[in-house]
Amino acid sequence: MPIQTTSKIWHNGNLIPWEQATLHVMSHVVHYGSSVFEGIRCYGQPQGSAIFRLPEHMQRLLDSAKIYRMEVPYTLEELCAGVVDVVEANGVSPCYIRPIVLRGYGEIGVSPKGSPIEVYIANFPWGKYIESQGGADVCISSWNRLAPNTMPALAKAGANYMNSQLIHMEAEANGYQEGIGLDVNGLVSEGSGENVFVVRNGVIFTPPLGSSALSGITRDSVLTLARHLGLPVTEQSLPRELLYIADEVFFTGTAAEVQPIHSIDRIVIGDGKPGEITKKIADEFFAIVNGLKPDRFGWLTPVKVNASEPVRA
Ligand SMILES: Cc1ncc(COP(=O)(O)O)c(C=O)c1O
């Protein structure tokens, strides 16, 4: 889907016109993938709009930057305020928010020292990431996720998404909606842009971060919701074949939200319908983000924008 433009983009502390947020082709990031970024959703609610887990996302952005020795000249509070400013200035809700820290135009060597750090925050409308009736059909990719000590999986870096693209393109080329990558040991890691959860015999499992999975904010939210709903949940290494014999499998992510999986490698999961536990968690998640249940974990940052679409149940 082509990007739907908005009016302003936050750049290094100022709101600039969308069309002026451009980069030189010789910028460091273009050649070496030197960026870290976030993806955040702002939800429409009956009483206005709210950004989901804003400080946690911006802290992860700072953490990603720290791993890559990028010195971001803004505090967590300044970055969160920048997100609120751009969302309110554009007046678009619901929306997807894309903050990015990158190494700009300066020197062309691999050493990033002479290239300035630039920070941008954009927002725009973005609907469902995975369109599916009753669950996504996915595959296990022939591409592994990043091996430890190669590209750090805990950093949400632009360059990591070359691996995600390989996984996603292979899946699409073979008629699937998404691909799941295994880690360097052949254990389940994550989707190209989602964390994975498995339900078997009433227990919820998700791979540990050591399996090269991103520390997903939605993953953390689902772990919290499951514990509060009294559902047993454990983070542990998962063999690939456990996915095939699971009762339920679902993805989590800012873009994918809570997404049931119908089949993996054409093997139908459970009875082929979104499972009870998946539904319980999805219902709770959407009720909170859409403002239909109290924000009991303090996950929402209200913004002064009226939602343009009715709240989804
Ligand atoms: C590779 C990868 N894993 C997991 C996730 C889910 O993370 P989050 O829930 O923070 O969006 C994403 C999306 O950001 C991702 O790109």
Side-chain angles (χ1 to χ4, degrees):
M1 195 178 71
I3 298 177
Q4 283 181 262
T5 60
T6 50
S7 167
K8 302 283 185 203
I9 288 183
W10 189 97
H11 175 223
N12 293 348
N14 298 305
L15 291 174
I16 61 170
W18 176 283
E19 308 72 47
Q20 286 175 23
T22 55
L23 282 179
H24 197 281
V25 70
M26 296 310 288
S27 299
H28 198 273
V29 61
V30 177
H31 300 259
Y32 305 119
S34 30
S35 70
V36 294
F37 69 98
E38 275 304 313
I40 311 173
R41 274 193 194 266
C42 173
Y43 287 91
Q45 305 197 326
Q47 58 276 19
S49 303
I51 302 172
F52 186 61
R53 306 203 68 178
L54 175 59
E56 291 86 345
H57 277 285
M58 298 317 270
Q59 183 58 55
R60 187 172 65 184
L61 182 71
L62 289 172
D63 291 346
S64 300
K66 187 171 186 184
I67 291 169
Y68 279 100
R69 302 171 191 265
M70 297 168 120
E71 282 181 28
V72 180
Y74 303 101
T75 62
L76 177 63
E77 292 70 30
E78 287 167 338
L79 291 169
C80 290
V83 170
V84 171
D85 283 352
V86 75
V87 170
E88 292 186 346
N90 286 325
V92 175
S93 169
C95 68
Y96 183 83
I97 303 159
R98 173 53 58 84
I100 185 162
V101 177
L102 57 88
R103 296 195 191 271
Y105 179 87
E107 293 183 16
I108 197 57
V110 168
S111 168
K113 263 194 271 170
S115 301
I117 296 290
E118 309 272 358
V119 185
Y120 292 87
I121 307 169
N123 78 313
F124 45 88
W126 204 17
K128 273 227 152 307
Y129 184 61
I130 300 177
E131 290 292 349
S132 72
Q133 294 283 323
D137 295 303
V138 311
C139 63
I140 303 295
S141 182
S142 69
W143 295 101
N144 281 4
R145 289 299 283 167
L146 319 159
N149 238 6
T150 59
M151 303 281 290
L154 288 190
K156 190 170 168 65
N160 293 0
Y161 287 79
M162 291 300 275
N163 173 264
S164 292
Q165 287 175 57
L166 289 171
I167 291 174
H168 192 79
M169 289 188 296
E170 181 187 56
E172 277 194 336
N174 291 322
Y176 300 98
Q177 285 163 296
E178 180 57 298
I180 295 173
L182 303 178
D183 71 12
V184 73
N185 296 311
L187 299 165
V188 177
S189 175
E190 60 180 347
S192 79
E194 308 85 10
N195 292 110
V196 181
F197 283 78
V198 175
V199 181
R200 186 165 152 88
N201 297 333
V203 180
I204 306 173
F205 300 90
T206 196
L209 301 182
S211 282
S212 300
L214 182 70
S215 177
I217 310 287
T218 323
R219 173 185 184 275
D220 176 73
S221 309
V222 163
L223 290 172
T224 302
L225 289 177
R227 288 181 186 123
H228 279 257
L229 291 168
L231 302 167
V233 55
T234 156
E235 295 174 59
Q236 65 168 71
S237 302
L238 301 177
R240 165 185 186 156
E241 60 275 21
L242 188 71
L243 299 183
Y244 301 137
I245 58 171
D247 302 320
E248 307 175 28
V249 183
F250 62 93
F251 279 142
T252 65
T254 298
E257 301 172 302
V258 179
Q259 170 65 54
I261 292 178
H262 169 258
S263 71
I264 301 174
D265 294 338
R266 307 269 180 240
I267 298 177
V268 171
I269 304 304
D271 63 5
K273 300 196 195 89
E276 282 312 306
I277 290 183
T278 307
K279 276 198 275 182
K280 218 177 199 175
I281 286 174
D283 287 351
E284 196 69 11
F285 174 83
F286 286 112
I288 293 175
V289 298
N290 289 323
L292 305 175
K293 275 198 175 177
D295 175 22
R296 63 184 189 286
F297 305 107
W299 284 344
L300 299 169
T301 300
V303 279
K304 294 191 215 79
V305 183
N306 287 329
S308 62
E309 286 172 22
V311 166
R312 280 181 288 152

